[in-house]
Every structure is written in C-alpha cells, then in structure tokens.
Amino acid sequence: MYGEFRCGKTQLCHTLCVLCQMPVDMGGGEGKAMYIDTEGTFRPERLVQIAEEYGMNGEDVLNNVAYARAHNTAHQSELLMQAAGMMTDARFSLMIVDSVTALYRTEYNGRGELSARQIHLGRFLRSLQRLADEFGIAVVVTNQVVAANLDGGGGMFPAGGGVKPIGGNIMAHASTTRLALKKGRGEARVVKIVCSPSLPERDATFAIESKGVTDVKE
C-alpha cells in the first residue's frame, strides 16, 4: 500500500499487528506478527491502545510482535534471514515492512543509480515472496510516493495531487494486491484497490481512532 505522509499507512500496519493475533473465526490469523521498521514510526504504546480497545491484553500482544529497526538496505535484507529462522520456531501470520523503499531511496540517488537500486529492491521483494510461500504468512509492505509530474507519469489519484508509488514495475509486479491511500475530508481517509487478482477496483473510506483503523462515523 502506498500514499503520502499521514494518510494512514502506519496506523493500518499497527492495527493489523493486533488483528492478526485473533482467532481465525474472528477474522484473525492466530499467529504472531513480524515488523521491520525503516523509518522509526513503530509505536508499541499504540499497539497496547489498540489491543485494549479490542479487549485483548496489551502486554501479550506486544510479546507476540517481533520488532526490528532496519538501518540500511543490507541490514534490511539480513533481517529477512533472521525472520526465516524465527518462523521455523513459532507460528507467524503476518510480516510487515514499513516502508519497503525508504532506505533504498536514500542510499541510491539519481538516475545513475536507478538500475542498481531496482536490482537490489527486486532481490529483497523476491525474498519476501519466498517467506510468504514457505511459511504461509501474509506480507504487507508500505511504500512512499513521488510527484507523478517529475517524469511526466500519471498518478492513480490525479485530482489529489498526482502522485505515484516509488519502485516502478519492480514493486508493481511483486505486489499481489495494491492499495492507494489518501487523505479525505476531516479525519477520514480513502483507500482504493488499484490492482488485485480477486477484488474489484473500488474505493472505501475509513477513519483512524483509538481502536486503530475503523469505519467512518456518519
């Protein structure tokens, strides 16, 4: 999923970290969550708040979230190897990388390094796919956006400023379902299914409250 700053990407990730621990018959995955943070936006106190809103024990929820802060692209890839080892010992249902492109964007500057960036990003995304296939986990990655008019491209939400996700075709082809998020009126946010093999293209509105991501109140 991609979108501009403060459109709800990280809040959605925090909510998923809680919901994935719920029983399957309640819409959860009955497993732990793995969270790779590249921008320093993870907030454990937020997880506790969301958990308590759902009647769950905040400390138990935190204990079921394996968190790691990635400091560079090499470290980001190393963390996937460590994650694979942890997944052989415990049941994980969710893997989050927030954001998958932030460190690549800062380490590879300019068009001269674009090809190298895409190659390394592609390797990381393939490693994520292998984890998903081998351990049966859901993988959620967030992505940053750039102004579409920087290279003449078009945005998914042209009326909302004309932005497009970073990573180009490498990111697009590696993603099964792509979601575009943007700010709505007031505290509302809008999410659009851009591409999915099983869901129609459509929009939905949500809000961010104490219990995490929830329906917008009329």
Side-chain angles (χ1 to χ4, degrees), residues 156 172 175-180 192-201:
M156 293 300 177
S175 305
T176 302
T177 297
R178 284 184 284 156
L179 304 177
K192 178 177 182 177
I193 300 173
V194 176
C195 180
S196 173
S198 57
L199 300 170
E201 184 175 313

Side-chain angles (χ1 to χ4, degrees), residues 8-55:
K9 301 187 299 295
T10 298
Q11 291 294 324
L12 184 53
C13 288
H14 280 63
T15 304
L16 289 174
C17 277
V18 176
L19 299 182
C20 78
Q21 301 181 36
M22 290 183 170
V24 173
D25 58 9
M26 295 179 64
E30 289 188 24
K32 298 182 178 183
M34 182 84 61
Y35 200 114
I36 296 179
D37 179 10
T38 68
E39 298 183 274
T41 54
F42 180 79
R43 296 292 181 268
E45 63 272 17
R46 184 70 174 117
L47 286 189
V48 172
Q49 183 183 29
I50 296 172
E52 291 176 347
E53 289 284 346
Y54 280 94

Side-chain angles (χ1 to χ4, degrees), residues 173-210:
H173 295 321
S175 305
T176 302
T177 297
R178 284 184 284 156
L179 304 177
L181 281 68
K182 69 173 183 177
K183 298 176 184 176
R185 293 183 178 180
E187 296 301 314
R189 304 290 190 272
V190 179
V191 57
K192 178 177 182 177
I193 300 173
V194 176
C195 180
S196 173
S198 57
L199 300 170
E201 184 175 313
R202 59 181 300 181
D203 298 348
T205 305
F206 67 93
I208 299 171
E209 298 181 354
S210 59

Side-chain angles (χ1 to χ4, degrees), residues 9-10 23 36 39 58 64-65 67 79 89 121 132 134 139 163 186:
K9 301 187 299 295
T10 298
I36 296 179
E39 298 183 274
N64 285 326
V65 177
Y67 168 82
L79 289 173
D89 298 327
L121 178 60
E134 183 174 352
V139 175
V163 297

Side-chain angles (χ1 to χ4, degrees), residues 35-153:
Y35 200 114
I36 296 179
D37 179 10
T38 68
E39 298 183 274
T41 54
F42 180 79
R43 296 292 181 268
E45 63 272 17
R46 184 70 174 117
L47 286 189
V48 172
Q49 183 183 29
I50 296 172
E52 291 176 347
E53 289 284 346
Y54 280 94
M56 302 169 68
N57 183 285
E59 185 175 348
D60 290 343
V61 167
L62 282 181
N63 289 336
N64 285 326
V65 177
Y67 168 82
R69 174 71 190 275
H71 300 288
N72 53 59
T73 56
H75 186 213
Q76 185 172 322
S77 294
E78 290 172 7
L79 289 173
L80 285 191
M81 298 177 63
Q82 296 177 28
M86 295 176 66
M87 289 178 185
T88 60
D89 298 327
R91 161 63 182 163
F92 282 82
S93 61
L94 176 66
M95 173 80 161
I96 289 176
V97 185
D98 183 24
S99 115
V100 70
T101 54
L103 296 176
Y104 288 93
R105 192 178 186 184
T106 56
E107 290 185 26
Y108 296 89
N109 297 314
R111 291 189 177 275
E113 296 187 335
L114 180 60
S115 177
R117 185 190 78 177
Q118 294 299 86
I119 290 173
H120 284 272
L121 178 60
R123 288 174 182 166
F124 179 80
L125 294 172
R126 286 192 294 274
S127 296
L128 271 180
Q129 183 64 61
R130 283 195 295 270
L131 280 181
D133 293 342
E134 183 174 352
F135 297 102
I137 60 169
V139 175
V140 175
V141 300
T142 68
N143 193 7
Q144 298 177 340
V145 295
V146 66
N149 58 10
L150 288 181
D151 63 355

